[in-house]
């Protein structure tokens, strides 16, 4: 806070208080119209994602109830927030970890923010990377499933 008025210890009842000179006096007066960019307050979860602290964000996500997770993903306001969530999901797809969580979050993000993603080239590129990682992960799961099915069949024929 910058002081704008001089506060006298003595009360001068008839005299107006004098305005103190500040550095801001040379600037143009600011508009009184509310700018929504100034009001953006990120949640602690989004702060962790933007900072790239994915392990802490995943731990926080695991503690949330499903309705809170859904609300967090629906409230993404900027392209930067959407990209931070997509990068978070991409991180876990590449690590082949938390697959169910990634699928659930990806479902909500793509359903709710699909128009924004299609309009932004940067987000579209991130989604392309996400799709490539998703396909690679799915091929690995599919291979392991087929392998296990063949193993069970061959073991059942032995008995």
């Amino acid at each position: 806070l910058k002081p704008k008025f001089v506060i006298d210890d003595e009360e001068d009842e008839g005299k107006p208080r004098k305005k103190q000179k500040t550095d801001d006096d040379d600037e143009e007066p600011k508009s009184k119209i509310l700018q929504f960019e100034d009001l953006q307050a990120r949640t602690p979860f989004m702060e962790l994602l933007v900072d790239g602290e994915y392990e802490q964000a995943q731990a926080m996500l695991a503690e949330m109830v499903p309705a809170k997770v859904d609300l967090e993903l629906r409230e993404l306001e900027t392209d930067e927030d959407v990209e931070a969530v997509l990068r978070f999901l991409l991180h876990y797809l590449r690590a082949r970890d938390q697959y169910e969580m990634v699928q659930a979050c990806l479902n909500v993000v793509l359903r709710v923010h699909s128009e924004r993603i299609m309009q932004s080239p940067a987000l579209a590129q991130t989604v392309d990377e996400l799709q490539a990682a998703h396909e690679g992960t799915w091929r690995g799961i599919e291979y392991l499933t087929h392998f296990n099915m063949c193993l069970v069949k061959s073991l059942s024929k032995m008995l």
Side-chain angles (χ1 to χ4, degrees), residues 120-153:
S120 170
L123 292 177
Q125 181 180 2
T126 305
V127 168
D128 288 341
E129 292 175 36
L130 195 61
Q131 181 182 6
H134 190 272
E135 287 174 357
T137 304
W138 175 248
R139 274 189 246 117
I141 290 173
E142 189 176 37
Y143 170 77
L144 290 173
T145 303
H146 288 297
F147 178 80
N148 287 333
M149 287 173 56
C150 291
L151 186 63
V152 168
K153 278 185 180 181

Side-chain angles (χ1 to χ4, degrees), residues 36-68:
F36 289 108
E37 293 85 28
D38 298 337
L39 297 177
Q40 290 179 0
R42 288 194 172 121
T43 62
F45 174 72
M46 280 309 303
E47 286 293 331
L48 290 173
L49 289 185
V50 170
D51 294 342
E53 298 175 17
Y54 297 141
E55 284 73 25
Q56 291 176 350
Q58 196 281 324
M60 183 180 284
L61 194 66
E63 293 175 1
M64 292 181 195
V65 296
K68 175 71 174 161

Side-chain angles (χ1 to χ4, degrees), residues 78-118:
T78 64
D79 287 354
E80 181 182 312
D81 291 346
V82 174
E83 185 164 8
V85 170
L86 293 175
R87 293 273 173 212
F88 169 69
L89 299 174
L90 184 60
H91 168 78
Y92 279 102
L93 271 178
R94 287 182 176 158
R96 296 180 183 236
D97 193 19
Q98 304 293 329
Y99 193 73
E100 294 84 9
M101 180 269 306
V102 169
Q103 291 302 309
C105 292
L106 190 57
N107 180 26
V108 173
V109 170
L110 292 178
R111 192 168 12 99
V112 174
H113 302 288
S114 59
E115 282 187 35
R116 175 181 284 169
I117 291 169
M118 288 187 293

